[in-house]
Amino acid sequence: MGRPATLSGSGGQILVRSLLEQGVGHLFCVPGESHLAVLDALYDVRDRIQLVVCRHESGASNMADAYGKLTGQPGIALVTRGPGATNASIGIHTASQDSTPLILLVGQVPRGFADREAFQEIDYRRMFGQMAKWVAQIDDPRRVPEYVSHAFHTATSGRPGPVVLALPEDMLTEEAEARAAPHWQRVAAAPSPAALARLATLLGGARRPIAILGGSGWTSSACADLRRFAEAWQLPVACAFRFQDLFDNDHPQYAGDVGIGINPKLAQRIKDADLALVIGARLGEMTTSGYTLLEVPVPRQTLVHAHAGAEELGRVYAPDLPIHAAMPELAAALAQLLRPSADPPWAAETAAARADYVAWNAPVRVPGPLQMAEVVRHLRERLPPDAIVTNGAGNFSTWVHRFHRYRRFKSQVAPTSGAMGYGVPAAIAAKAVYPDRIVVAFAGDGCFLMTGQELATAVQHQLAIVVIVVNNGAYGTIRMHQERQYPGRVHGTQLTNPDFAAYARSFGASGEVVEATEQFPPAFERALAAGRPALLELRLSAEVITPSTTLSAIREQALKRRPTS
Ligand SMILES: Cc1ncc(C[n+]2csc(CCOP(=O)(O)OP(=O)(O)O)c2C)c(N)n1
Ligand SMILES: [Mg+2]
């Protein structure tokens, strides 16, 4: 390695040069006077770093999260101090829960004003303390490359996550000379031979094993290696909540997703398994059906838990075999694991698990003219395997998760944090990174209006995403829980909505309303052909609250359980 280059200029220029050294090509931002020097330095490299200017910092941080999920490289968000940082915090929380590499660059008051509660001053170490993997403030422009290098390594290593770097305003304008840091390197643990040998023994003695894949840090070749392993051992493979694209859903061994609204047969299958092979998933509340699929702290199933972050092993569950390894290293080793000489005893169970999935994935009929399952089935058949489908949080996402089939690595981008408002900004980031792929965002009426103004960003940057707003005039998820727990006492969950299609058109996007199943395919074709961002408002009765039940059925059941006085 040659001697590192010297970077000279303002702190802002050194920062931007350092980002370039780390391979940054996109930056998601809402500008602020506190980081004007960074913007000015970005001006010089505007042909090398695409600056995506957002309308709200939640959009910028969500986009940075989606970028991190899609590429495995930290997504970079640049926001101003105080209100900018507070607006951006949702993306930091999502990156934390979802283990996404992300770096938030945030303005800070000049060094001489520190700790006076100067204008918009926040102590970011305290504010982001629990949410970020590392929070630091760069007080010396000569140390910018060191901090940036540390931030990239921290965001990507072990269990990936968000890093926050605070940038005092006067540090950004101070002239300095700094030693450049080289491009960050992947730091990844590999499984030990002893762990692999023990895994082979456990598999050899199992009768009803199941594999559950999840988490971040995967690559498409890691997914291919994992598939080879699963095929050799004929394992049924499930995917954790919102990590459904780690295994081809069309594969005869794919058994479904382990998340909200899990197929009851899959839940039972996991409970009845004698060996749970959990690869990369965190075993959080959503992936364990509220810690019921596996008992805390010692599951009845023999538990093999592999994770890239050592601290995740034994966090809730005491594994029989903890494996500390990054997914590419682990999957490569698993692909080499000696295959069994005969068909394993569970081969019929694997076929049964698949049959359960196929039945669960088949469209169901619900009351009304718009059959959401058919809409999603149409997309499943219409979209190429590399299309990217994003969503935020709400019951509308159940239709997508259950009836779509994700076939390629990184064809799904969705927050395991359950953050509303994620789908639209995620789609914008996806289209910025992969302009040639079809990108479809699903949102509820509630979810959409949390970040819907980012349609302006999509239009400004000519990112032709298709947004599907499932409008049921309600914060439907909460209404559903309300009916369960407080039947008939509807309060705070109804929404009076704008005309979403007209709203989209006012941004320069195309907008249409879809009220019946048969209207959807042609409307979707028009949206794709529009050559600009497009929105389809799907009008769905709030009564159709899930694929399997209605609001009134939920209310009646709840009333029967506890009659009102
Ligand atoms: C940022 C954020 N705020 C609040 C919630 C709580 N919450 C979860 S789902 C939901 C309603 C979602 O409404 P909508 O997007 O219309 O979807 P629907 O459930 O009606 O299909 C709410 C308020 C959340 N998950 N995230
Ligand atoms: Mg709704």
Side-chain angles (χ1 to χ4, degrees), residues 89-128:
S89 62
I90 189 167
I92 306 309
H93 178 251
T94 292
S96 163
Q97 288 235 300
D98 292 28
S99 314
T100 311
L102 181 155
I103 298 172
L104 178 71
L105 303 171
V106 55
Q108 181 56 296
V109 303
R111 288 164 292 185
F113 295 174
D115 301 321
R116 291 178 176 166
E117 199 195 320
F119 183 58
Q120 302 181 333
E121 181 181 5
I122 296 181
D123 178 344
Y124 300 113
R125 290 187 184 87
R126 280 195 290 154
M127 174 182 170
F128 288 111

Side-chain angles (χ1 to χ4, degrees), residues 90 393-397 399 417-421 443-450 470-479 495 497 540 545:
I90 189 167
N395 269 30
F396 69 89
S397 67
W399 303 97
S417 66
M420 289 169 70
D445 45 333
C447 187
F448 174 70
L449 273 190
M450 287 205 176
V470 184
N471 178 9
N472 59 5
Y475 285 132
T477 312
I478 312 305
R479 169 85 189 275
L495 294 174
N497 281 318
L540 187 70
I545 196 64

Side-chain angles (χ1 to χ4, degrees), residues 212-215 218 240 243 278-284 287 305-307 312 327:
I212 302 174
L213 317 183
W218 290 84
F243 289 110
V278 179
I279 305 179
R282 265 196 66 236
L283 288 177
T287 297
H305 192 187
H307 204 279
E312 288 309 310
M327 293 308 108

Side-chain angles (χ1 to χ4, degrees), residues 379-400:
L379 287 178
R380 168 178 128 193
E381 286 163 4
R382 169 64 181 86
L383 293 175
D386 71 350
I388 298 170
V389 178
T390 73
N391 62 262
N395 269 30
F396 69 89
S397 67
T398 312
W399 303 97
V400 193

